[in-house]
């Protein structure tokens, strides 16, 4: 790979215009500004998918667009709920229309290979609607050959890694909010933003198999006050490296396969 | 329980107005009109949550409102994808605003205890946004004490039942689209609508751990042409009864607990 | 006609896909959940157009899709007003977008002949906007040959029937809310849901020739507290049969003519 | 009455601010730019309700706001259909939100008495939704005492006038599009804009009792090519005066009554 | 030029249909109902662009459509702010969608040459979005050759005129709200609506180089209570004529050039 | 000032929650991804307002939230137009609703002092609408004391600086797109992203005093193909420092004054 930046916004438009003729893959990270317990910063849902995007882009000669930083309202069973201070979320329509517009614009530029890299599971369905609306817009402009992947990076965790990271059993992705995976990856990539001395001591979240609204601590007695749904005591930098590298490798392979790249 | 109907729409408004002063729980089924393979009708996602709602309502003196029948666009990894003929879906905004409006109206009537009973997992986040918008509307009308549960009935499957129904291991809820659970429950409740002779013979769905758009068979080589994501060979009427009864019992208990009912 | 169900949702997708190649007419009932006085249930605006749709569909080999059950806000001069408990209505945008989406989906399936069968006059203009938006969507997908009828079934009452049903003069369709026609048809089709002993005794509605908002009994002194705009004393099961049959026959003929069917 | 203008837009804001403390009634005409056959201009649906508003405002010391000139899409059975050149219409959302915003603004000013004077029947339901949304907005700003009338001026035609104007029987308001009433009123108020030599000779419209979409002459064989739904041969300036004066008198009385004015 | 009216709404549709085949330019004024200090009426932002449109239309055989009278919310630094009584504004979506719809309709008629003549600078960006959406709509209907100008008439003031009108230096267009230009033009065109005896004596507006919300006099201490941002003491009828004539001449020339007219 | 980060997303929610009780000022940069000629990267409209925000936040103990990176469609007279590859823009509704949601969320957290720091003039009116909608939302939640500044940082250029930077006369802010100011500031802050060897040689933009749509080079013959509206030949790192420092100082002073800070 050349020394070209993967950051599209750091390029000038003429270099970008020349580059897109080669049909690189562009990654659009979609994040959230969301509480992640007392030991992690609020940027985990943006920083992790963005840095994975950057690494994959380097591997395959791709590009990373600026993140859609803010995401949909945090839910109790996956992120603690939107009532925490700091958690700063968008409505459904803002997420949907932002995704729609950005994907449509890339299509107008001539891009035909996109990856929406999601770091916040509450975004999933709104990203999907945004992609669907964008593909409709593009189709009506005569552009029918855009292909878009939507990736929740954590879905690339292998069973082998699961066993290493959670030797006593994997709790489920929702319960992993601010848990072992995110804490480990942040320890690996941004130890300066992690404060293990603040690891919450409250018990793991206990949720009923349904949702209750409005979201209050009274309505959700099993919701930890710390905002971390599960203990991150087992987090280590080595686990973080293991998982981060696995995500990068797995997504690199997936993107190569889906877009038929010759690397 | 009295012989009163649980179907709110079959009551006259005066009886209804008198009834709501007793604060019954009202159930709003939210469904989908979606292909369920060649052996099942397209109404599974409405008929199952509605009939569960009816049984629970009978148990607790509740009411069932007419279903929001149509749901959000079917997704490949949970329902085969929205490209099948017959699958008839709403946009995000139609689902969100329909839920918002109906919940708000029940609040205006004086209802304070609602259950949105979802039969189509693609609806989840849009129902959540609809509830959130409705609670905001109501709060601004001075109504702050509405409590709403959102239930995906299948989440009430116990580990014991899982072992009975899927002796070789539970495949995951998404892969269960038109699989053992839905086929069994339909066999139990509506055998006239099930045609086991048409059980698809194609291999189970094989999905990558990400989504690909646009949804086409070409883009999704592991998607069965039949629309059934997994074999329903193991479906039986007994399993259907086991699960249906467990859903009714579990949701009855949950509703009693959440709303502090004296039954 | 074959013994095939007219209920599209009871079919599996493969049979449906085969059927639509023959270009059957699909009926989409659009209703309301609305108070209809103390003697009628709240489902009149859905049950009547749906059952008419079913009968017409049987006559012509058509299909009936699940109803869009909820309708636009009840208005005083046509339905008593939206302030009654029980009346449960959608905003304009929810009606419009639901109609738009469902009609568009049928077009995607290959359907080219649709009837929107409306049972709630307040829906009319929102259905029209929904159809218009759907036809625009379809046209932009290259589908220009969808033809859609919007039918308010009561418009098929002949002058001869009017004289029989209202020997002292027809009051007007708006004033007929919960009046002779709906009561008679419900008596004919669903006597178990009608309680003639509760026929309201308040005087007929007296409206000024304009609307007043907000809708309150104080602002509308001529609005009967019962919610029935006119007496249904003259309702009989025979009149119900006369009218129901006339609607079925008239709409059958209209659909045959408009779609050039060979029956 | 003083010599003060009734045109709010011709006042300066300080005089207006002083005036609204006296709680005058403000009229908001809502029109359409719509073909009215070859003998009438396209402004009938704005000019008539506006001039009626002006006369009523003079009678009662009211004010007339600038018209919302454009209206909802013309329909075949009431206005010939939106496919005619010249007919220039808004979508549902544009009408609804414009009405919502303007009514809300008048409430902010301190106005509590409004009349929406509609000249285009296709607008009715969208105006109603706009009023409903505005009253909700205002209520949430602590303003609960705004009262709004929605008037279709033609509903003030008395049975006596009907007999005089249509001696052979009143055809119905929808069929009166560009017919005797509008032609007569325009002859009385704006003879310079009427060209009776161009009165269309095509037969009156013949409509089925349902709507057909898309709107084309092929789909609507009974729709006159001229755009006039009925003959205006019987129109005279005297009839125009009779009706215009009746509308002004009737609406004046209604407004006095509804707002408890002391005139 | 013929004696034909420039007012499209005064034409019948057949004459209009014949005329558009010659591809005249149609002007759509977009205004505001906004306070303009104690000496001017609230209609300045509609009346001036409309009358300029009329004069230009006469010069070039064009047409003027009815104004979109109401505009976006007044801003402190350009119009004093939306908190004044009398100022009556639309939301962003109402302006955008009204512009979108009207421009799209003219495209449907066959018009290919439009001018949106804006009299209220707060409208600018919403008009631009409306035009952009309309051109997208039209393009998808196969109409790719519509050309639209958006004109803020005051941008046609020449440096020479500036020196004459503001001999002590031009203050800036925003500060000219209800200032010398508007007062002069109104004196020239509508002296009966100007009351120079009420010219405000408060000091000119003093604004910081940023906006403060919410808009209150407390938050904006430099905002004149009169609503006029600058003194209009130097306004004269002669200056009004100078500017009005310059606007008409300049815009006439621009329209001739842009549309390649042969006059 | 403490060594605390100004980056809110790098904090954990508990520290953030404690901090907001002291009522710090939070800055929300709003940018654009937009071509800036061949010599500048596409991130100028985000990087400059964000870094100014950071510096001001350091001065006053404030916080900077993650940017809303994408902005409204580039316009020819201020940014070259949205037809350039690379320029990646949002629709009006996406900008408005994203701003509305984020400001509302900060209000929910307890923040009462916000600054929206805009780097892309096309955003201005949409940010204003977003703020207005957010303040309405908050007011209805009982929060009436949020104060928000909207700042276009370039408005803080003093006349003295103008003379130094553009000794031959200031061209106007719109024409400064990718001109002396942005190039100088980028040279000062991010020389690694500036390539002066690519300074475009085409003549400065020449625009008519109106807008033309659709935006094409054919419709806009005076638009430079390079995308830079004016020469940046005079750009220097010293000028960049002069301006950047002036912006930071001026905005610091403004924020202190508006929020009554004790620094």
């Amino acid at each position: 790979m050349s020394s070209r930046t993967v950051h599209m916004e750091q390029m000038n438009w003429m270099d970008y215009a020349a580059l897109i003729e080669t049909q690189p893959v562009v990654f659009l990270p979609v994040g959230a500004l969301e509480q992640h317990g007392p030991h992690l910063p609020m940027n985990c849902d943006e920083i992790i998918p963005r840095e994975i995007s950057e690494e994959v882009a380097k591997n395959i000669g791709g590009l990373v667009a600026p993140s859609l930083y803010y995401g949909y309202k945090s839910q109790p069973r996956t992120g603690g709920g939107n009532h925490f201070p700091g958690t700063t979320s968008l409505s459904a329509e803002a997420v949907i229309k932002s995704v729609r517009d950005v994907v449509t614009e890339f299509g107008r530029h001539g891009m035909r290979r996109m990856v929406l890299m999601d770091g916040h599971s509450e975004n999933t369905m709104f990203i999907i609607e945004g992609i669907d609306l964008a593909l409709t817009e593009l189709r009506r402009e005569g552009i029918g050959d855009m292909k878009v992947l939507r990736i929740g990076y954590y879905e690339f965790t292998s069973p082998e890694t699961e066993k290493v990271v959670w030797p006593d059993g994997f709790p489920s992705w929702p319960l992993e909010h601010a848990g072992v995976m995110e804490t480990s990856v942040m320890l690996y990539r941004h130890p300066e933003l992690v404060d293990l001395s603040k690891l919450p001591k409250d018990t793991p979240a206990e949720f009923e198999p349904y949702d209750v609204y409005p979201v209050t601590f009274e309505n959700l007695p099993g919701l930890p006050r710390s905002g971390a749904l599960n203990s991150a005591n087992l987090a280590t930098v080595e686990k973080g490296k293991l998982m981060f590298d696995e995500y990068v490798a797995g997504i690199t392979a997936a993107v190569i396969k889906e877009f038929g790249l010759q690397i």
Side-chain angles (χ1 to χ4, degrees), chain A:
Chain A
M1 286 294 104
S2 79
S3 63
R4 170 179 62 74
T5 178
V6 296
H7 296 288
M8 135 175 206
E9 74 273 17
Q10 296 182 1
M11 303 178 70
N12 69 62
W13 78 268
M14 287 185 173
D15 290 347
Y16 171 82
L19 181 61
I20 60 176
E21 300 208 357
T22 69
Q23 286 303 331
V25 179
V26 64
F27 294 78
L28 177 64
V30 190
L33 182 61
E34 188 189 28
Q35 70 81 15
H36 273 73
H39 60 298
L40 287 175
M42 296 191 284
N43 63 6
C44 301
D45 284 2
E46 192 270 347
I47 209 166
I48 300 176
R50 178 167 48 75
E51 295 194 353
I52 292 171
S53 296
E54 290 163 2
E55 295 305 313
V56 178
K58 285 178 198 162
N59 287 343
I60 62 162
L63 278 177
V64 182
S67 300
L68 288 170
Y69 206 107
Y70 296 90
Y72 184 71
K73 298 162 191 168
S74 176
Q75 292 301 307
R77 293 203 278 167
T78 43
N82 211 61
H83 58 317
F84 283 89
T87 297
T88 308
S89 306
L90 299 180
S91 61
E93 59 189 339
V95 178
I96 291 169
K97 286 169 179 170
S98 296
V99 170
R100 177 198 66 184
D101 291 347
V102 173
V103 175
T104 304
E105 283 283 77
F106 280 112
R108 175 177 65 74
H109 300 170
M111 280 287 184
R112 294 295 178 267
R113 297 164 164 175
M114 282 196 71
V115 178
L116 274 77
M117 185 74 80
D118 188 11
H120 179 67
S121 66
E122 287 90 335
N123 288 338
T124 304
M125 295 307 294
F126 306 108
I127 292 175
I128 286 172
E129 176 75 345
I131 294 170
D132 191 61
L133 296 179
L135 293 181
T136 297
E137 295 287 320
L138 289 170
R139 200 167 56 241
R140 293 178 185 176
E141 297 290 331
I143 298 170
D145 56 346
M146 167 82 96
K147 186 174 181 180
V148 184
L149 310 187
R150 190 206 62 80
I151 295 181
Y153 67 87
Y154 41 85
E155 293 201 57
F156 279 80
T157 314
S158 68
E160 295 71 30
T161 296
E162 258 188 43
K163 281 177 204 150
V164 171
V165 175
W166 297 274
D168 299 328
F170 176 58
S172 83
W173 282 121
L175 279 184
E176 263 294 294
H177 179 77
V180 179
M181 185 275 280
E182 289 181 308
T183 306
S184 297
V185 172
M186 289 299 286
L187 274 175
Y188 170 51
R189 299 287 297 186
H190 292 279
E192 76 283 5
L193 296 177
V194 185
D195 185 349
L196 289 179
S197 74
K198 291 188 177 163
L199 272 182
K201 301 191 189 332
D202 46 11
T203 53
E206 289 188 8
F207 293 118
E208 303 293 344
Y210 49 84
D211 298 321
V212 187
Y213 299 92
V215 174
T216 61
F217 284 111
E218 185 185 355
N219 273 343
L220 292 151
L223 179 66
R225 299 276 162 154
S226 71
L229 299 190
N230 214 339
S231 172
N233 279 331
L234 298 176
T236 67
V237 64
E238 292 77 16
K239 289 181 178 178
K241 178 170 175 19
L242 174 67
M243 287 185 281
F244 187 85
D245 289 352
E246 184 166 72
Y247 298 151
V248 171
I251 295 170
T252 297
V255 169
I256 288 172
K257 182 186 124 195
E258 289 291 341
F259 294 114
L261 304 183
Q262 308 295 331
I263 304 289

